[in-house]
């Protein structure tokens, strides 16, 4: 079982409009709702790849109920979300059908009480012994300590469970110091963490701060991985255009599934890039286009060795 942690779960709502214009009324041509938040997106993709997944984090209020109802229909996904009094947030993605661009609106999430945080920590500790790997994903809701991920990384490491951290800002800085097995920042998050805007230099600096392996997401340029085994760049065979919501989460699912399947790094990166691109091509946030994924893998994601020592 793979465990994904989404402390700030969400109900992802995608609106499609013919053309998005500021200061104007719009007629929505299509609307979809899905359980969301980074870790839930990761879980959905992992389950589609055939892995058993347990999701945990917080869910509360009417929106939280809708999220949990949505999880019941996901084959291979088990719900271990912890109840909270506050209402789970919503995220709104507005897709401009004319340009293909997406505008994202993210609510902050519910305030988590100390007793609710304690209940989560107890549940997390109970789930770890049955996990082959754990992903800690996304933002922290109000009330959760800023060093929360650092503590969760240390708990996973003490249990002997490999841990991937995917967050940003101060939670990432503190979490890296706890020595996670892998982090997956984007270019902006990596620059904020290290102070360097040059991706290779920044990934090396992130490793020195404590991460065993760093896989940087560089948007259309694919992934850059710096690991104890070596370093690689991986890119899709062609630029893809569409809705990028959830693309980074699909990359995390590819990396995590490759980890538990003991794939070599080039194969993990090829899978992650193909899944990420196939998610951009999917019409709904947090899903991936399976035909596009298989075609991208078949056409060959370019994975090249980066010169120099790891």
């Amino acid at each position: 079982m793979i465990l994904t942690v989404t402390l700030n779960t969400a109900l992802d709502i995608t609106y499609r409009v013919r053309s998005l214009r500021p200061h104007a009324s719009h007629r929505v041509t299509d609307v979809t709702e899905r359980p969301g938040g980074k870790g839930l997106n990761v879980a959905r993709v992992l389950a589609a790849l055939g892995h058993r997944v347990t999701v945990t984090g917080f869910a509360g209020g009417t929106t939280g109920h809708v999220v949990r109802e949505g999880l019941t229909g996901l084959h291979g996904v088990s719900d271990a979300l912890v109840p909270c009094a506050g209402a789970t947030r919503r995220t709104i993605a507005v897709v401009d059908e004319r340009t293909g661009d997406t505008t994202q609106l993210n609510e902050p999430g519910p305030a988590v009480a100390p007793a609710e945080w304690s209940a989560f920590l107890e549940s997390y500790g109970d789930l770890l012994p049955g996990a082959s790997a754990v992903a800690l994903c996304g933002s922290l809701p109000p009330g959760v300590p800023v060093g929360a991920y650092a503590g969760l990384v240390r708990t996973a490491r003490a249990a002997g469970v490999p841990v991937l951290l995917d967050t940003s800002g101060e939670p990432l800085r503190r979490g890296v110091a706890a020595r996670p097995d892998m982090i997956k920042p984007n270019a902006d998050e990596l620059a904020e963490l290290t102070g360097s805007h040059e991706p290779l230099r920044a990934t090396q600096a992130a490793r020195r701060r404590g991460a065993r392996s760093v896989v940087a997401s560089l948007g259309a340029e694919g992934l850059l991985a710096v690991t104890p085994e070596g370093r690689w760049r991986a890119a899709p065979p062609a630029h893809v255009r569409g809705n990028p919501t959830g693309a980074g989460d699909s990359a995390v699912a590819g990396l995590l599934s490759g980890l538990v399947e003991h794939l070599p790094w080039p194969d993990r990166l090829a899978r992650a890039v193909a899944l990420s691109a196939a998610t951009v091509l999917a019409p709904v946030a947090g899903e991936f286009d399976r035909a596009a994924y298989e075609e991208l893998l078949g056409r060959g994601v370019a994975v090249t060795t980066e010169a120099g020592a790891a």
Side-chain angles (χ1 to χ4, degrees), residues 60-287:
T62 302
T63 311
H65 177 74
V66 174
V67 167
R68 301 190 83 158
E69 284 282 304
L71 291 174
T72 60
L74 293 179
H75 178 73
V77 177
S78 298
D79 175 3
L81 294 170
V82 175
C84 64
T88 294
R89 66 189 178 130
R90 296 163 298 178
T91 66
I92 312 295
V94 184
V95 180
D96 185 320
E97 295 178 336
R98 178 177 56 86
T99 65
D101 294 334
T102 301
T103 299
Q104 191 81 16
L105 304 172
N106 297 328
E107 296 179 356
V112 175
E116 293 168 341
W117 177 240
S118 296
F120 167 79
L121 291 176
E122 182 177 354
S123 175
Y124 178 72
D126 291 341
L127 290 166
L128 278 175
S132 56
V134 59
L136 308 174
C137 302
S139 61
L140 301 178
V144 172
V146 70
Y149 283 135
L152 298 181
V153 168
R154 285 191 286 267
T155 302
R157 285 177 54 83
V161 180
V163 56
L164 184 155
L165 176 62
D166 184 17
T167 188
S168 60
E170 187 65 13
L172 175 60
R173 189 184 71 80
R174 297 197 186 194
V176 165
R179 305 185 68 81
D181 295 271
M182 193 189 319
I183 63 172
K184 204 261 345 137
N186 62 32
D188 291 339
E189 293 162 350
L190 191 59
E192 183 181 6
L193 173 66
T194 65
S196 175
H197 290 271
E198 199 290 307
L200 182 57
R201 186 176 298 115
T203 52
Q204 292 171 317
R207 285 200 68 212
R208 289 193 294 271
R209 289 171 179 263
R212 177 174 171 81
S213 297
V214 181
V215 181
S217 178
L218 306 179
E221 297 179 20
L223 301 175
L224 170 63
V226 178
T227 80
E229 291 79 18
R231 56 194 195 186
W232 298 267
R233 289 183 184 263
H239 177 66
V240 294
R241 190 172 180 177
N243 182 358
T245 306
D249 305 329
S250 291
V252 168
L255 294 169
L256 206 58
S257 62
L259 170 68
V260 300
E261 293 173 30
H262 307 290
L263 297 181
W265 270 105
D267 291 346
R268 298 185 203 182
L269 295 169
R271 178 182 290 181
V273 167
L275 283 169
S276 180
T279 299
V280 173
L281 294 169
V284 178
E287 304 283 352

